């Protein structure tokens, strides 16, 4: 601690940087309006389609500020999911019939 005081540093200056987790989400409805601000009467910035992946920057009440490339806009949080809406929760069904094999002569 004495060396820190001599150098004029604080203990916080020596603490390692804390990485913030990036949160990704997917658009669930077939179409979602992305707005300039987090309220219904705000100007429309972009229309998003089902399955688009976005980066969630901030959450405020029922709204999420998302990043799309260099642009940010607001969508209702209920329209986002951490799971892709096209992902299957179970493996694809297999056919129960087995093709008969006949040797060719």
């Amino acid at each position: 601690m004495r060396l820190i005081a001599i150098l004029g540093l604080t203990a916080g200056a020596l603490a390692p940087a804390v990485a913030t987790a990036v949160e990704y989400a997917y658009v669930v409805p077939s179409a979602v309006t992305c707005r300039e601000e987090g309220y219904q009467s705000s100007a429309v910035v972009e229309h998003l389609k089902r399955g688009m992946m976005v980066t969630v920057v901030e959450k405020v009440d029922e709204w999420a500020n998302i990043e799309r490339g260099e642009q940010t806009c607001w969508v209702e949080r209920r329209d986002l999911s951490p799971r892709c809406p096209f992902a299957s929760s179970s493996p694809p069904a297999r056919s129960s019939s087995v093709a008969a094999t006949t040797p060719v002569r």
Side-chain angles (χ1 to χ4, degrees):
M1 285 302 206
R2 190 173 238 166
L3 180 59
I4 292 172
I6 292 170
L7 294 175
L9 301 173
T10 63
L14 298 177
V18 177
T20 338
V22 175
E23 182 180 348
Y24 298 103
Y26 295 90
V27 175
V28 177
S30 59
V32 170
T33 303
C34 201
R35 301 185 177 277
E36 195 172 274
E37 300 291 330
Y39 53 91
Q40 282 294 337
S41 60
S42 180
V44 174
V45 174
E46 182 179 3
H47 295 281
L48 307 177
K49 294 181 181 180
R50 179 180 175 94
M52 289 178 120
M53 186 174 77
V54 297
T55 303
V56 177
V57 176
E58 177 184 14
K59 295 177 185 176
V60 178
D61 298 325
E62 68 269 6
W63 291 88
N65 185 4
I66 63 166
E67 189 174 81
R68 297 258 312 132
E70 304 266 329
Q71 181 178 345
T72 63
C73 56
W74 292 82
V75 296
E76 292 185 81
R77 289 173 60 182
R78 69 177 181 210
D79 294 335
L80 300 176
S81 171
R83 294 185 180 188
C84 180
F86 299 123
S88 174
S89 58
S90 59
R94 293 183 133 177
S95 172
S96 60
S97 62
V98 177
T101 56
T102 306
V104 178
R105 294 180 191 226

